[in-house]
Amino acid sequence: MHKTLPAKPESGPSGDLAGDLEWRIEEGLIPYPDAVARMEARVAGIGAGTAPQMVWLLEHPPLYTGGTSARPEDLLQPDRFPVYPTGRGGQFTYHGPGQRVCYVMLDLRRRGQDVRRYVHDLEDWVIRALGRFNVKGERRDDRVGIWVPRGPGREDKIAAIGVRIRRWVTFHGISINVEPDLEHFSGIVPCGIDATKYGVTSLVDLGLPVTMTDLDVALRETFPEVFGDISNL
């Protein structure tokens, strides 16, 4: 089951999108191989001009994925959950219930073919969405993802970013921790980070009673602030 918002929703005060974009919110837990297959098909359609661009919001069952920079020694508990190699950038990460995964499939041929700008925009999008809950997410030059200061000498990661681009069409994207079981991150070295300095957090771990629906609304409202009106790209 899923909820699909129309490509041309009625305009409103929240800055609804218009034009060539499908915004889909999936219900239930989507197996990772199924999600990848569906992304592959959509990316091919976008590249061929036969399918609209898409933002796909979903949750996965518990699993680990390894990006193109993943190191075998960072998979600490290989038998804990299914492990999937993936073509996105980055290292190992965890996905599971309580984490909002956002797969973003945009045509960068309509955005100046600027990969660096695209990654920066993804970061900005997450930061703006978190800001709706008074969470100050920050980017770091030496570390991927979005971070939340937790006191002297300590920062926790609240969102991961890993992208892949094929013929200038993007896929994979971001994941934001709403209320996942943070202990599940102990089976890996998340994104290769040093656990003595850096940890993992979530909106609920920060003491905020935020629901998945609350985050979805924030993501929807802040997307055009960063990416603009898709119909004008």
Side-chain angles (χ1 to χ4, degrees):
M1 297 291 293
H2 65 262
K3 294 181 288 185
T4 302
L5 299 183
K8 293 186 178 182
E10 296 178 359
S11 61
S14 62
D16 284 337
L17 304 177
D20 181 22
L21 180 74
E22 179 182 354
W23 189 281
R24 177 176 294 187
I25 302 174
E26 203 78 36
E27 298 179 356
L29 302 179
I30 307 302
Y32 188 76
D34 293 354
V36 172
R38 291 165 68 177
M39 276 195 291
E40 294 270 1
R42 177 57 63 100
V43 166
I46 295 170
T50 58
Q53 301 173 94
M54 181 178 184
V55 177
W56 188 20
L57 279 59
L58 54 84
E59 293 175 82
H60 287 304
L63 59 92
Y64 297 129
T65 65
T68 55
S69 301
R71 301 176 298 187
E73 61 269 25
D74 287 345
L75 181 59
L76 304 178
Q77 299 178 23
D79 298 325
R80 184 169 187 171
F81 296 127
V83 181
Y84 297 98
T86 180
R88 61 157 176 81
Q91 301 181 40
F92 281 106
T93 193
Y94 165 77
H95 293 311
Q99 180 190 75
R100 176 53 87 208
V101 175
C102 309
Y103 290 135
V104 184
M105 289 156 270
L106 299 181
D107 189 347
L108 293 189
R109 293 171 298 185
R110 300 161 68 177
R111 295 186 62 82
Q113 299 182 340
D114 190 335
V115 176
R116 182 172 296 183
R117 173 195 168 192
Y118 171 66
V119 174
H120 187 277
D121 285 348
L122 287 178
E123 294 171 337
D124 196 22
W125 181 33
V126 175
I127 290 169
R128 287 171 182 257
L130 292 175
R132 294 296 178 97
F133 310 105
N134 295 315
V135 174
K136 186 180 180 182
E138 300 177 354
R139 54 170 62 88
R140 294 289 180 262
D141 292 337
D142 61 336
R143 282 172 273 128
V144 179
I146 301 301
W147 300 81
V148 178
R150 300 300 297 274
R154 182 76 184 187
E155 295 182 332
D156 286 350
K157 190 172 189 176
I158 194 169
I161 297 174
V163 305
R164 187 174 182 182
I165 297 171
R166 177 178 297 155
R167 298 179 180 176
W168 296 110
V169 179
T170 71
F171 54 128
H172 297 277
I174 66 175
S175 60
I176 302 174
N177 296 331
V178 179
E179 192 179 9
D181 186 338
L182 296 179
E183 201 278 329
H184 291 334
F185 284 91
S186 66
I188 57 173
V189 179
C191 300
I193 61 177
D194 181 354
T196 63
K197 295 181 180 179
Y198 312 116
V200 181
T201 191
S202 68
L203 288 166
V204 171
D205 182 56
L206 294 172
L208 300 169
V210 177
T211 68
M212 197 69 72
T213 299
D214 294 334
L215 178 61
D216 291 346
V217 171
L219 289 167
R220 171 76 175 184
E221 291 180 348
T222 55
F223 188 89
E225 296 176 7
V226 178
F227 292 95
D229 184 344
I230 291 293
S231 65
N232 293 328
L233 295 182

